[in-house]
Each structure stands twice: as structure tokens, then as C-alpha cells.
């Protein structure tokens, strides 16, 4: 099992196919939510994922400032069903946050999280900055993480 972080152009076609397959399986099929999953933002994003025997076990994309929001953003956070409950989501978020704050040198990360995951994201320091709203039929909240001054 190894973590990988790649730009869109660094992904192989097989890696890209696997990532899009898993994202669609979770966000469109599992959540019964038809929407445009491939939204054009992947081209400008970093893709952080863990492979296990060729499977995408966990994934998120890191969007630089100006792609989705004025701030940098994390999105499309997934852990494949058979790998849930093993701490991968926590490790995934910690790696994504670390890369965004320390490698991209961003001070703020904005996310659009599903409401039921508000406490999970809050455990990493994200603060809720919106009321609950519906996005594609699923309750969401906007959240912000600001880098602590040293």
C-alpha cells in the first residue's frame, strides 16, 4: 500500500480511470446522486490517493486557490467501501492538509462537506462558516481551516 500525489498530467490513463471509477461509484451510484462528477477541475488539481493491489482505496483532490474558491480546497474525499474503518480517511485528510499548507504554502483551506461529516472535518480544525444547505439533494456545509501562526 502506497500513497501517491500527482498532478493531472502525471496520472497514467489507468490511474485516472480507476480514480474516476471509484469517485463515480461513491458519489453517483452509492449516494444515488446524478450529477456531473467530471467537472473540469481535475485538470488543475493535485490527486492524492492510496492504492492497494491496484485498487484506489482512498482518494482526495487538492484544488489550488482560485480553482473552486478564492482559497485552496480539498474535495472528492473518498474511501472505498471495503477499506473503510481502517483510519484511511484520517490519514488522507492529514496528508492533504499538510501538502496544501506546507507545500503549496496556502494559509486557508475551504471545503464543502456533507453535513453528516461536519464533526469529522471539525476534528482537523475546520470551522463551519455556513448554514446547512442542499447540494445535489444532500445536506452540506461550507467549512474553513486557517493555518495557525507559529
Amino acid at each position: 500500500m502506497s500513497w501517491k500525489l500527482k498532478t493531472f498530467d502525471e496520472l497514467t490513463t489507468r490511474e485516472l480511470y480507476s480514480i474516476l471509477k471509484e469517485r463515480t461509484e461513491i458519489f453517483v451510484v452509492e449516494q444515488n446522486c446524478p450529477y456531473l462528477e467530471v467537472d473540469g477541475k481535475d485538470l488543475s488539481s493535485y490527486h492524492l490517493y492510496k492504492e492497494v493491489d491496484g485498487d484506489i482505496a482512498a482518494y482526495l483532490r487538492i484544488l489550488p486557490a482560485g480553482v473552486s474558491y478564492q482559497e485552496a480546497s480539498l474535495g472528492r474525499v473518498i474511501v472505498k467501501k471495503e477499506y473503510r474503518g481502517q483510519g484511511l480517511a484520517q490519514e488522507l485528510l492529514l496528508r492533504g492538509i499538510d501538502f496544501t499548507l506546507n507545500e503549496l504554502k496556502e494559509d486557508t483551506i475551504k471545503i464543502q462537506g456533507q453535513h453528516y461529516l461536519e464533526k469529522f472535518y471539525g476534528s482537523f480544525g475546520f470551522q463551519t462558516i455556513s448554514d446547512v444547505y442542499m447540494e445535489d439533494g444532500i445536506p452540506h456545509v461550507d467549512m474553513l481551516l486557517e493555518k495557525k501562526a507559529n
Side-chain angles (χ1 to χ4, degrees):
M1 293 199 306
S2 62
W3 287 98
K4 297 181 181 181
L5 178 69
K6 296 185 175 187
T7 65
F8 183 83
D9 289 334
E10 292 170 332
L11 293 170
T12 67
T13 53
R14 191 167 297 278
E15 288 168 328
L16 178 61
Y17 178 85
S18 296
I19 287 167
L20 295 177
K21 178 183 177 290
E22 292 310 322
R23 286 184 2 195
T24 303
E25 175 65 33
I26 292 171
F27 291 120
V28 178
V29 178
E30 183 180 316
Q31 295 182 355
N32 192 26
C33 184
Y35 76 107
L36 187 59
E37 210 295 318
V38 180
D39 59 6
K41 296 177 183 177
D42 292 311
L43 299 166
S44 304
S45 299
Y46 293 89
H47 304 271
L48 175 63
Y49 59 99
K50 185 171 203 129
E51 278 187 319
V52 180
D53 299 326
D55 269 351
I56 301 296
Y59 168 89
L60 67 73
R61 71 178 179 185
I62 300 164
L63 301 98
V67 176
S68 277
Y69 306 109
Q70 179 180 333
E71 305 86 357
S73 182
L74 304 178
R76 301 295 200 263
V77 179
I78 61 169
V79 175
K80 191 173 180 172
K81 231 178 216 176
E82 46 267 44
Y83 299 102
R84 294 178 188 164
Q86 300 175 23
L88 286 180
Q90 289 83 353
E91 189 175 354
L92 178 67
L93 259 291
L94 287 171
R95 287 174 178 268
I97 291 166
D98 180 67
F99 178 79
T100 306
L101 297 179
N102 298 312
E103 299 299 321
L104 296 182
K105 306 289 188 212
E106 295 290 345
D107 294 327
T108 309
I109 303 172
K110 184 174 182 178
I111 63 170
Q112 181 186 51
Q114 292 185 12
H115 183 243
Y116 84 96
L117 293 169
E118 187 173 7
K119 281 187 181 176
F120 171 74
Y121 290 123
S123 72
F124 296 93
F126 284 93
Q127 301 288 316
T128 304
I129 59 167
S130 75
D131 291 331
V132 176
Y133 60 90
M134 297 301 281
E135 178 79 21
D136 297 316
I138 298 172
H140 281 75
V141 291
D142 291 340
M143 301 183 82
L144 213 57
L145 173 71
E146 297 185 88
K147 187 174 186 176
K148 296 179 179 124
N150 292 335

